[in-house]
């Protein structure tokens, strides 16, 4: 059983909780590969998907996970809602809870929004991404996918390459990997690496080829132009030239590595198409594992009630 009634971030989880979620997800993945993919685990549980930011994979993954567990779901999108009329976050959620909702899956542009809500409402909260802060279920599905390929992650070398500064995926992955004993290296332009990030126990590099030769797995992040208020590098073409990963670079490595990406991919920028579709890539495995991980999180939080 999880120690907290919420999943707000990986920072709050211990290694045992990560192990429990991954182990539970492994069982649910077997369910997803059966002819009948539904189990009655969350029958009579009502879950609200409350998204104040755009999402495709995460939202669909959570919705599918909820349906596979036989939960009742309602979907809320900020566009076209009373939020546009000035309603506060707390009022919006309390109105949803008044309809007898048991669990909230929430994405919000403000870092810490799920943490704020958890102090004011009784329902379980799952953070589906809060600004540039954390994205815990993405880090958990990345952990699950890496363990399938590499086994125990202790002492494994994992590189996170790209826009670290604006990425909630990067921070959650750093926490998850360090708790499992992995070595973590960040790689990208110096303008996209946060100051003092080494205090989290990670290495920093600005050389992609050397980083790829060092690592067992590379998690490549997209450039988040929608979060950038100023220019952090001259052009996407120049970024691709210095930090983009191609199939040729992967084929020239002394060993085979695992290539990951949380999506959406900007093909031709951080990854060439032939790299993204290469045998090194487990990007579609990550998407499949995302449903199983979210089923595990929903099930374990509901079991606390």
């Amino acid at each position: 059983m999880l120690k907290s009634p919420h999943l707000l971030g990986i920072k709050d989880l211990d290694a045992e909780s990560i192990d429990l979620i991954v182990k539970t997800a492994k069982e649910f993945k077997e369910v997803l590969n059966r002819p009948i993919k539904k189990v009655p685990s969350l029958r009579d549980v009502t879950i609200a998907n409350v998204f104040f930011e755009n999402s495709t994979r995460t939202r669909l993954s959570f919705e599918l996970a909820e349906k596979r567990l036989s939960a009742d779901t309602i979907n809320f999108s900020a566009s076209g809602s009373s939020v546009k009329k000035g309603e506060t976050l707390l009022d919006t959620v309390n109105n949803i809870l008044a309809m007898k909702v048991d669990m909230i899956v929430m994405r919000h542009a403000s870092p810490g929004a799920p943490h704020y809500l958890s102090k004011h409402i009784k329902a379980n909260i799952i953070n589906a991404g809060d600004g540039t802060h954390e994205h815990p279920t993405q880090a958990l599905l990345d952990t699950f996918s890496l363990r399938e390929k590499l086994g125990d992650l202790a002492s494994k070398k994992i590189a996170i390459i790209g826009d670290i500064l604006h990425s909630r995926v990067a921070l959650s992955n750093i926490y998850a990997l360090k708790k499992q004993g992995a070595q973590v290296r960040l790689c990208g332009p110096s303008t996209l690496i946060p100051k003092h990030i080494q205090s989290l126990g990670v290495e920093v590099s600005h050389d992609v080829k050397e980083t790829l030769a060092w690592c067992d797995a590379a998690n490549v992040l997209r450039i988040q132009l929608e979060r950038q208020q100023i220019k952090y590098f001259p052009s996407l073409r120049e970024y691709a030239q210095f930090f983009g990963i191609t199939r040729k670079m992967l084929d020239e490595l002394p060993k085979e590595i695992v290539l990951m990406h949380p999506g959406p991919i900007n093909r031709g920028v951080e990854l060439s198409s032939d790299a993204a579709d290469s045998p090194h890539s487990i990007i579609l495995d990550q998407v499949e594992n995302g449903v199983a991980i979210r089923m595990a999180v929903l099930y374990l939080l509901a079991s606390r009630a």
Side-chain angles (χ1 to χ4, degrees):
M1 184 180 288
L2 294 178
K3 292 169 186 173
S4 169
H6 312 291
L7 178 64
L8 303 176
I10 300 294
K11 189 178 182 180
D12 309 317
L13 287 182
D14 54 21
E16 291 76 25
S17 297
I18 293 172
D19 284 342
L20 175 62
I21 292 168
V22 171
K23 190 172 146 193
T24 309
K26 197 173 177 184
E27 292 171 14
F28 278 128
K29 188 172 180 179
E30 289 172 17
V31 171
L32 292 172
N33 287 310
R34 292 180 196 161
I36 297 171
K37 300 174 175 62
K38 212 163 186 176
V39 288
S41 309
L42 295 193
R43 188 178 288 158
D44 300 327
V45 173
T46 304
I47 303 170
N49 299 309
V50 182
F51 280 67
F52 293 87
E53 269 193 322
N54 294 337
S55 173
T56 304
R57 268 158 305 281
T58 303
R59 186 169 188 159
L60 287 176
S61 187
F62 266 113
E63 282 185 42
L64 193 55
E66 290 152 10
K67 287 181 166 67
R68 294 287 185 248
L69 291 167
S70 305
D72 296 320
T73 63
I74 55 172
N75 293 308
F76 168 92
S77 175
S79 56
S81 74
S82 293
V83 171
K84 295 289 182 188
K85 301 174 187 174
E87 187 172 64
T88 66
L89 168 63
L90 192 56
D91 281 342
T92 299
V93 174
N94 275 327
N95 274 285
I96 292 168
L97 292 179
M99 301 173 201
K100 306 303 177 203
V101 168
D102 304 297
M103 202 177 287
I104 301 278
V105 175
M106 178 179 153
R107 171 168 286 188
H108 201 281
S110 300
H115 302 72
Y116 166 75
L117 263 194
S118 69
K119 292 171 184 167
H120 292 88
I121 66 172
K122 288 182 180 176
N124 305 97
I125 297 173
I126 298 173
N127 180 6
D130 58 330
T132 55
H133 182 224
E134 277 218 54
H135 192 351
T137 55
Q138 180 67 46
L140 289 166
L141 73 88
D142 289 345
T143 288
F144 184 21
S145 304
L146 279 170
R147 284 193 187 182
E148 283 187 328
K149 283 288 179 184
L150 304 177
D152 184 7
L153 297 185
S155 301
K156 293 291 190 297
K157 296 175 180 177
I158 314 298
I160 303 175
I161 301 170
D163 184 355
I164 312 295
L165 184 64
H166 300 96
S167 174
R168 52 190 167 215
V169 174
L171 188 59
S172 286
N173 262 300
I174 290 168
Y175 287 138
L177 292 166
K178 294 303 292 181
K179 284 173 195 280
Q180 296 170 85
Q183 297 178 53
V184 182
R185 179 184 290 192
L186 309 180
C187 180
S190 54
T191 51
L192 291 176
I193 306 281
K195 289 179 183 177
H196 316 300
I197 193 78
Q198 284 107 322
S199 63
L200 295 178
V202 300
E203 301 175 27
V204 171
S205 168
H206 306 298
D207 185 333
V208 169
K209 285 188 178 178
E210 194 270 327
T211 297
L212 290 173
W214 170 85
C215 72
D216 297 306
N219 199 345
V220 186
L221 308 176
R222 72 184 174 90
I223 298 299
Q224 301 202 23
L225 293 173
E226 74 276 11
R227 296 189 192 280
Q228 297 181 11
Q229 308 302 321
I230 59 172
K231 262 190 161 326
Y232 288 88
F233 47 85
S235 67
L236 287 176
R237 183 181 174 189
E238 188 161 317
Y239 179 88
Q241 187 179 341
F242 285 96
F243 293 96
I245 295 170
T246 64
R247 175 70 184 270
K248 184 171 180 283
M249 289 165 68
L250 295 173
D251 290 343
E252 288 171 355
L253 293 174
K255 61 181 177 182
E256 189 161 312
I257 67 165
V258 175
L259 189 67
M260 307 169 72
H261 196 299
I265 305 170
N266 290 322
R267 288 175 181 259
V269 182
E270 70 269 11
L271 279 179
S272 66
S273 280
D274 56 0
D277 301 330
S278 72
H280 300 269
S281 168
I282 61 165
I283 295 169
L284 293 178
D285 294 338
Q286 288 173 267
V287 177
E288 181 186 353
N289 289 340
V291 179
I293 277 287
R294 288 168 179 127
M295 285 174 77
V297 169
L298 291 161
Y299 171 75
L300 289 168
L301 288 179
S303 300
R304 287 182 51 90

